[in-house]
């Protein structure tokens, strides 16, 4: 067994230098993805650079209204932050509908964004997976593909070295996408700012690469632009709590009088990253909020979906979530629970059973 | 040939550092990949914390680190330097009087086989420390990271509810 080293640098520059200079290095923060995948033998870092003690733990509101969240803020802390709850409730709903209390206590904001797919074939070393073993193929295409992508996947057949139909698992990042969050990084080349939709990537012809970060590039903060509207997250899953989404939807709507000024919609668990639907968004702008319009936009959003044998159900589910998310965010329909909580985000399950 | 996965621990373990458990400081030698769960059970003989799935899915291994409920199976021991780990072994008073959550689990028969119980209790204690006015719904959601294969859930919720009443009454 290869020896492994652990270090806990006192500052960002040291951490970045250490990780950048060693291809076998990995950052360690909350550990909820990394330690699990090390046990599975999917990830085999030889140098752990612990960034969890770096001082990136503040949530700051600027005079402009924008909010900056340090990369090391724990998910549980972010979800109860008054500034986030009042202005970006959909983000709190998304965080609280994800994982369990223990995992939210451990996971950091940056680590949440960088969590890896829950495609079962990534974790099963006996199966073909281009993400784990590039060139081996994609066992999901003709396999158990109930949880897999309907948008943006690469499918040139199960044995093709480029194929990957995995979905991205984060709830929080779907809400960050609807709020057009910017991810701030530092690397040996300086600071960089990525709109979250540009940080994450589709499988393209390199499905083993999850994000556009350079090796050793460190996420230091997430910035949320000023927002004057309503945001909301809805999630459908197999059990009422502590399950990944089958489909989820985040909406962020800003009104000007009676008309929709700006609408942003992101779907979760349908693609290799949060899936924005710009055609549907454009249909809403300048229009009055009403149910028929929302259903038309939802239909357009799903037009280009390409489902598999086991996941055709995602199409009507996603349509319904878009329409319902918009209805609830604009106040045309009531939420099932208090805004900013997991109960507002849960479709069915705990919220309904307990009134 | 593939390298062995992480669980196949090397025998020649190197000194890795300090770990603080239930108020005691220990200097242990373990591989850097050793989790807090394995350090507790295999190195310190503290077998109250249980290994269920070992992948963060069942909550049987829940402990407190700096007051927060976390999964010891996904926490590397080497990364806990300077932090306080608290396990089920330290909940009862030194004279053997049980913590009120432990007593409530007994009073409400909140277990059958008992394997998940230490994790359930550690989660419940942290949950009540944050908020002792929880609805049944909030208890269910707050406890969803702790699975019980015997499905003692109704009694677990009842026990936590009773403990929260007792806690408010200062019992």
């Amino acid at each position: 067994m290869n020896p492994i080293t652990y270090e806990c640098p006192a500052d960002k520059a040291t951490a970045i230098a250490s990780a950048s200079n060693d291809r076998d290095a990995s950052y360690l923060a909350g550990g909820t993805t990394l330690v699990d995948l090390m046990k599975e033998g999917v990830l085999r870092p030889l140098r752990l650079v612990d960034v969890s003690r770096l001082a990136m733990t503040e949530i700051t509101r600027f005079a402009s209204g924008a909010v900056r969240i340090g990369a090391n803020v724990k998910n549980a802390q972010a979800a109860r932050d008054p500034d986030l709850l009042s202005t970006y409730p959909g983000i709190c709903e998304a965080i609280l509908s994800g994982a369990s209390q223990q995992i939210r206590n451990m996971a950091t904001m940056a680590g949440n964004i960088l969590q890896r797919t829950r495609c079962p074939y990534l974790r099963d070393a006996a199966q073909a997976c281009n993400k784990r073993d590039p060139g081996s193929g994609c066992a999901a295409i003709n396999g158990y593909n109930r949880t897999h992508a309907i948008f943006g996947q690469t499918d040139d057949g199960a044995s093709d070295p480029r194929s990957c139909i995995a979905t991205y698992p984060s709830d929080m990042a779907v809400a960050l996408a609807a709020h057009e969050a910017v991810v701030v990084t530092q690397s040996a080349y300086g600071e960089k700012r990525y709109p979250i939709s540009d940080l994450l990537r589709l499988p393209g012809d390199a499905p083993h690469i999850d994000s556009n970060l350079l090796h050793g590039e460190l996420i230091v903060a997430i910035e949320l632009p000023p927002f004057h509207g309503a945001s909301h997250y809805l999630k459908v899953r197999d059990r009422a709590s502590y399950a990944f989404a089958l489909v989820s939807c985040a909406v962020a709507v800003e009104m000007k009088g009676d008309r929709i000024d700006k609408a942003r919609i992101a779907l979760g668990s349908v693609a290799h990253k949060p899936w924005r639907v710009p055609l549907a968004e454009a249909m809403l702008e300048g229009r009055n909020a009403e149910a028929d319009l929302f259903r038309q936009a939802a239909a357009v959003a799903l037009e280009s979906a390409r489902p598999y044998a086991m996941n055709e159900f995602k199409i009507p589910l996603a349509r319904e979530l878009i329409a319902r998310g918009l209805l609830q965010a604009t106040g045309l329909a009531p939420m099932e629970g208090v805004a900013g909580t997991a109960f507002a985000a849960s479709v069915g399950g705990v919220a309904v059973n307990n009134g | 040939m593939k390298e062995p996965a992480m669980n196949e621990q090397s025998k020649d373990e190197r000194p890795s550092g300090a770990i603080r458990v239930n108020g005691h400081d220990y200097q242990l030698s373990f591989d850097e990949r050793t989790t807090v769960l394995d350090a507790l059970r295999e190195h310190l003989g503290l077998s109250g914390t249980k290994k269920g799935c070992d992948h963060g899915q069942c909550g049987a291994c829940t402990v407190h680190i700096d007051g927060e409920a976390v999964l010891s199976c996904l926490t590397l021991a080497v990364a806990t330097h300077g932090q306080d780990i608290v396990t089920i072994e330290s909940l009862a008073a030194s004279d053997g009087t049980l913590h009120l959550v432990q007593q409530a689990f007994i009073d409400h028969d909140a277990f059958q086989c008992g394997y998940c119980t230490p994790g359930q209790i550690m989660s419940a204690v942290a949950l009540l420390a944050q908020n002792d006015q929880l609805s049944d719904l909030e208890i269910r959601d707050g406890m969803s990271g702790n699975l019980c294969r015997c499905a003692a859930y109704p009694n677990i919720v009842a026990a936590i509810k009773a403990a929260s009443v007792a806690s408010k009454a200062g019992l």
Side-chain angles (χ1 to χ4, degrees):
Chain A
M1 187 174 188
N2 286 320
I4 186 169
T5 62
Y6 167 88
E7 62 207 58
C8 189
D11 57 77
K12 285 182 278 210
T14 310
I16 292 165
S18 185
S20 302
N21 293 329
D22 183 349
R23 291 301 307 175
D24 293 315
S26 177
Y27 288 129
L28 170 70
T32 57
T33 285
L34 178 63
V35 176
D36 184 31
L37 289 178
M38 284 168 66
K39 291 185 188 195
E40 297 279 16
V42 173
L43 296 175
R44 296 165 185 274
L46 300 180
R47 177 195 292 262
L48 295 176
V49 181
D50 185 349
V51 292
S52 69
R53 308 295 176 96
L54 296 177
M56 306 186 290
T57 54
E58 302 290 317
I59 300 179
T60 315
R61 182 182 279 275
F62 298 103
S64 66
V67 170
R68 181 181 169 105
I69 310 170
N72 269 340
V73 171
K74 299 291 188 182
N75 282 179
Q77 182 198 342
R80 59 176 178 257
D81 180 79
D83 280 330
L84 294 181
L85 269 172
S86 61
T87 309
Y88 311 93
I91 294 174
C92 301
E93 291 169 7
I95 291 172
L96 291 172
S97 74
S100 64
Q101 186 63 48
Q102 295 98 312
I103 291 174
R104 292 190 296 270
N105 286 341
M106 299 167 73
T108 63
M109 295 297 287
N112 183 317
I113 293 172
L114 295 180
Q115 66 182 295
R116 303 201 76 196
T117 181
R118 305 305 293 200
C119 173
Y121 299 104
L122 173 75
R123 285 153 196 270
D124 184 347
Q127 300 277 352
C129 173
N130 284 328
K131 194 177 268 302
R132 185 190 62 247
D133 294 317
S136 62
C138 172
I141 287 175
N142 296 324
Y144 185 78
N145 49 36
R146 179 169 176 263
T147 59
H148 289 73
I150 57 173
F151 287 116
Q153 66 269 41
T154 302
D155 181 356
D156 293 319
S159 58
D160 192 273
R162 304 177 342 132
S163 290
C164 177
I165 66 168
T167 51
Y168 173 70
S170 169
D171 292 295
M172 181 187 85
V174 179
L176 292 180
H179 276 291
E180 301 188 302
V182 172
V183 178
V184 186
T185 70
Q186 281 179 24
S187 72
Y189 305 101
E191 184 176 295
K192 205 167 162 184
R193 302 167 61 82
Y194 298 84
I196 190 163
S197 295
D198 297 342
L199 178 86
L200 300 167
R201 63 186 295 281
L202 296 175
D205 56 9
H208 61 291
I209 302 173
D210 283 352
S211 82
N212 291 318
L213 292 178
L214 300 171
H215 180 76
E217 191 170 0
L218 181 70
I219 295 178
V220 297
I222 294 143
E223 290 187 1
L224 299 169
F227 181 71
H228 307 283
S231 79
H232 187 33
Y233 186 72
L234 284 174
K235 174 173 178 177
V236 176
R237 43 190 154 169
D238 280 328
R239 62 182 178 201
S241 185
Y242 198 21
F244 289 95
L246 292 168
V247 179
S248 69
C249 177
V251 300
V253 183
E254 291 177 300
M255 306 290 291
K256 197 176 269 177
D258 289 339
R259 293 178 189 280
I260 296 169
D261 186 42
K262 188 173 170 186
R264 295 291 175 262
I265 305 169
L267 294 169
S269 291
V270 296
H272 196 264
K273 63 184 208 175
W275 189 256
R276 285 276 299 275
V277 287
L279 291 178
E281 293 170 2
M283 285 174 68
L284 302 176
E285 296 188 358
R287 305 281 304 275
N288 287 326
E290 51 180 86
D292 281 351
L293 174 67
F294 294 162
R295 295 202 181 280
Q296 288 162 19
V300 166
L302 271 293
E303 268 171 4
S304 60
R306 288 186 296 146
Y308 287 87
M310 299 176 76
N311 71 2
E312 226 166 337
F313 71 91
K314 288 192 174 189
I315 293 174
L317 209 50
R319 269 195 217 113
E320 179 60 26
L321 284 188
I322 291 173
R324 199 186 288 197
L326 289 167
L327 285 167
Q328 293 181 354
T330 55
L332 296 182
M335 291 191 191
E336 289 184 356
V338 178
T341 70
F343 309 113
S346 296
V347 176
V350 177
V352 166
N353 289 341
N354 291 270
Chain B
M1 195 183 126
K2 287 210 158 173
E3 294 160 26
M6 182 175 166
N7 281 342
E8 301 159 39
Q9 296 264 327
S10 153
K11 293 293 174 221
D12 58 321
E13 296 176 338
R14 298 169 303 286
S16 286
I19 181 169
R20 184 171 174 83
V21 181
N22 298 334
H24 301 286
D25 289 310
Y26 301 92
Q27 197 68 37
L28 297 180
S29 296
F30 44 57
D31 185 278
E32 282 78 356
R33 281 157 282 216
T34 303
T35 61
V36 168
L37 175 60
D38 286 338
L40 291 172
R41 292 181 59 88
E42 309 300 332
H43 292 254
L44 294 174
L46 293 171
S47 56
T49 305
K50 301 303 183 202
K51 181 179 280 196
C53 68
D54 208 23
H55 286 283
Q57 297 173 9
C58 76
C61 69
T62 302
V63 300
H64 297 174
I65 296 186
D66 288 348
E68 305 259 25
V70 300
L71 299 170
S72 62
C73 78
L74 293 185
T75 305
L76 296 183
V78 69
T80 65
H81 50 93
Q83 296 179 324
D84 275 312
I85 301 168
V86 169
T87 71
I88 188 77
E89 282 89 352
S90 78
L91 277 195
S94 52
D95 68 357
T97 306
L98 294 179
H99 187 281
L100 62 88
V101 175
Q102 290 174 307
Q103 189 60 51
F105 268 61
I106 293 173
D107 296 343
H108 290 267
D109 196 16
F111 44 80
Q112 289 180 44
C113 83
Y115 195 79
C116 71
T117 308
Q120 299 276 2
I121 289 175
M122 295 308 283
S123 279
V125 169
L127 189 65
L128 292 174
Q130 249 182 16
N131 181 352
D132 62 3
Q133 309 234 5
L134 297 163
S135 66
D136 284 12
L137 175 55
E138 289 166 324
I139 292 173
R140 285 174 184 277
D141 190 61
M143 294 294 296
S144 70
N146 291 82
L147 303 190
C148 172
R149 288 298 302 271
C150 308
Y153 297 113
N155 293 5
I156 292 171
V157 174
I160 294 170
K161 193 105 178 171
S164 101
V165 172
S167 155
K168 270 180 287 185
L171 300 176

